[in-house]
Amino acid sequence: MIIPTAGTKIVEKNGFHKRIPARSYAVIMTEIGGSQVKAIRLDKQVSMAEAVQTAIADNPQWKYKAIFPLTDGDFE
């Protein structure tokens, strides 16, 4: 199944709905107190900063190392 790396996300602000661009990112994490490394794919993120915050919140025993934007061409 192909998951697109770009699209839109609907957010609500002041009672209005707004469609904003959303992208996919790959976040590299390292294990705190260990030696493991993992890459996490996050879809429909409105910014790199949001993707990093999501990755850190979802993986408390892991440390953020790097982030890379994904494109559909990366999977061809």
Side-chain angles (χ1 to χ4, degrees):
M1 182 171 111
I2 298 173
I3 300 171
T5 59
T8 59
K9 184 176 182 180
I10 298 173
V11 295
E12 185 179 340
K13 187 174 184 181
N14 298 329
F16 294 98
H17 291 86
K18 183 177 181 181
R19 187 176 298 271
I20 56 174
R23 307 222 20 111
S24 295
Y25 296 96
V27 181
I28 307 300
M29 308 283 286
T30 57
E31 185 179 27
I32 295 172
S35 59
Q36 299 293 315
V37 176
K38 68 178 174 178
I40 302 165
R41 178 180 173 154
L42 295 172
D43 296 313
K44 296 187 178 180
Q45 303 293 304
V46 296
S47 68
M48 281 188 172
E50 180 187 65
V52 170
Q53 290 174 349
T54 301
I56 291 170
D58 291 349
N59 300 280
Q61 297 300 316
W62 295 78
K63 184 177 176 182
Y64 162 76
K65 183 67 177 173
I67 186 168
F68 300 96
L70 297 173
T71 65
D72 290 339
D74 293 333
F75 302 97
E76 293 178 345

